[in-house]
Every structure is written in structure tokens, then in C-alpha cells.
Amino acid sequence: LVDLLTLQKQFILMHLGEGDVAVDYTMGNGYDTEFLSKTVGPEGKVYAFDIQELALKNTAAHLKESGCSDNYRLIHASHHRAAEFVKEPVKAGMFNLGYMPGSGHKEVTTMRETTLPAVETAISLLGKDAILLIAVYPGHPEGEAEGLALQEYLSTLSRFKMTVAKFQMLNSPTSPYFMIVETK
Ligand SMILES: C[S@@+](CC[C@H](N)C(=O)[O-])C[C@H]1O[C@@H](n2cnc3c(N)ncnc32)[C@H](O)[C@@H]1O
């Protein structure tokens, strides 16, 4: 069976390797940050963003426990401000939209007003042969609207510069799906 999380990692690994720069735009509990940190290794660099203090606390603990190299910077700021912190070309970026699992703060979810500018910035930060992956949770109303707004925007990107694609279970439309932007 197709497992979307495994598939997401496979796409990232087609672009990201040791020594590269990666960004986790939605840190949460740090599972994606861990994956990126281990993939780029001690010579690489990972920037991770979240607006919740709890995310930084949980992620810092998780990265220590899971034996990651000291190659990450956890930033307490909204992801639409990424260009203020990330100055080098990015090889892989990840957005895992929605609210933080297990936090009890379902109201702190990603919102179109900041997600769209953040995705635009994330695309502008990509280097050559790089990838941006955006996972959407259409099971809640803001998630569904966020996904549709993103699709509208991503559809306008030049196919001569980027590949833009979407992976979704056709027989389970409320399940999470993801989109990728790959630069040439
Ligand atoms: C689905 S969770 C991410 C899960 C995470 N990748 C993990 O592995 O645990 C989404 C996260 O986005 C964060 N978030 C919401 N709005 C944000 C914003 N404007 N900038 C950065 N993070 C934001 C939430 O606080 C939440 O922790």
C-alpha cells in the first residue's frame, strides 16, 4: 500500500544529502526536523520554525534524545519571516500544515494569511535541484481552504522553471495529501 509519509521522505531524499541546507517550516514536535537533521549530517544545517514556545521545547528535547548532530537552529518566529534568518540556498523545505499533534492547542493552526506568503518565500529560497514539500490536512475547514488556496497559487508557477505536483488518495478525499515543488 502507498504510505504517504514514506513517499514524502523518498521525494526529499531525491534532492537532499549530507552537507546540504534544509528548512522545517512547521517544527511541531520535531519529527521532520529530526529527519532533516540526520539526512544533512554534521556538515549540513537545518533551520526550523514555529510560533509556539512548546514546539521549540519539545523539538529541542526530541533532537537531543534521538542523537542528532548539533546542526540545527530552532527559531521562534512565523515561517513567513524565513528570509530574515535563512541566507543560503535551500535544498529541501517542508511544511506540515495544521495544528501541533498532542498540544491541546488546536486553535493554533497554520492560516492562509501567513501560509501563502511563507510558501512564496520558501520557493524563493530554493537553490537548484531543490524541493519544497507541503503536506495539507483537508479534514478541518481551515486546512481544506488552505490547500485550495495553495493549489491555486502553485498552479501559476512556470513549468519551465519548476515541477509542481500533488499526491492524493482519490478514494479518501479528507485524508492528508501533499504537494511538491522541484526546481530545475
Ligand atoms: C502539523 S504541526 C507540525 C508537525 C511537525 N512537523 C512534527 O514533526 O511534529 C504544525 C505546526 O505548525 C505550527 N505553526 C502554525 N502557524 C505557524 C506559523 N505561522 N509559522 C510557523 N509555524 C506555525 C504549529 O504551531 C504546529 O506546531
Side-chain angles (χ1 to χ4, degrees):
L1 286 178
V2 179
D3 169 13
L4 287 185
L5 289 180
T6 307
L7 207 52
Q8 287 181 16
K9 290 189 174 153
Q10 285 173 357
F11 274 109
I12 298 277
L13 292 172
M14 284 166 66
H15 298 271
L16 189 70
E18 300 241 338
D20 286 338
V21 175
V23 183
D24 185 350
Y25 290 96
T26 50
M27 187 187 320
N29 294 314
Y31 290 93
D32 294 323
T33 317
E34 176 196 356
F35 165 66
L36 297 172
S37 165
K38 288 186 173 165
T39 304
V40 302
E43 305 301 319
K45 173 102 196 182
V46 179
Y47 297 87
F49 292 87
D50 209 292
I51 50 171
Q52 292 192 69
E53 192 75 55
L54 182 63
L56 279 84
K57 195 169 155 256
N58 289 357
T59 298
H62 179 67
L63 297 178
K64 278 225 166 70
E65 277 163 21
S66 55
C68 288
S69 315
D70 185 16
N71 61 356
Y72 49 84
R73 182 171 168 206
L74 309 184
I75 300 164
H76 189 202
S78 173
H79 40 218
H80 75 282
R81 295 179 48 203
E84 293 172 35
F85 303 92
V86 183
K87 300 295 180 189
E88 59 271 75
V90 172
K91 212 71 204 299
M94 291 181 83
F95 282 84
N96 208 321
L97 300 175
Y99 52 82
M100 187 172 155
S103 69
H105 296 298
K106 288 197 178 177
E107 71 286 357
V108 190
T109 183
T110 51
M111 305 288 283
R112 274 161 288 170
E113 293 74 21
T114 39
T115 306
L116 278 166
V119 166
E120 261 182 81
T121 300
I123 291 171
S124 73
L125 288 171
L126 291 175
K128 278 190 191 329
D129 180 28
I131 183 166
L132 182 70
L133 192 147
I134 308 160
V136 177
Y137 293 76
H140 67 108
E142 176 58 26
E144 188 186 7
E146 198 175 34
L148 292 173
L150 281 168
Q151 284 174 61
E152 198 176 312
Y153 163 62
L154 294 176
S155 307
T156 66
L157 298 175
S158 166
R159 70 191 161 95
F160 300 107
K161 294 185 185 148
M162 292 169 219
T163 300
V164 182
K166 175 184 169 189
F167 296 83
Q168 182 167 32
M169 299 298 179
L170 288 176
N171 59 355
S172 179
T174 54
S175 290
Y177 62 90
F178 68 93
M179 296 178 278
I180 58 169
V181 176
E182 292 169 300
T183 58
K184 302 206 166 164

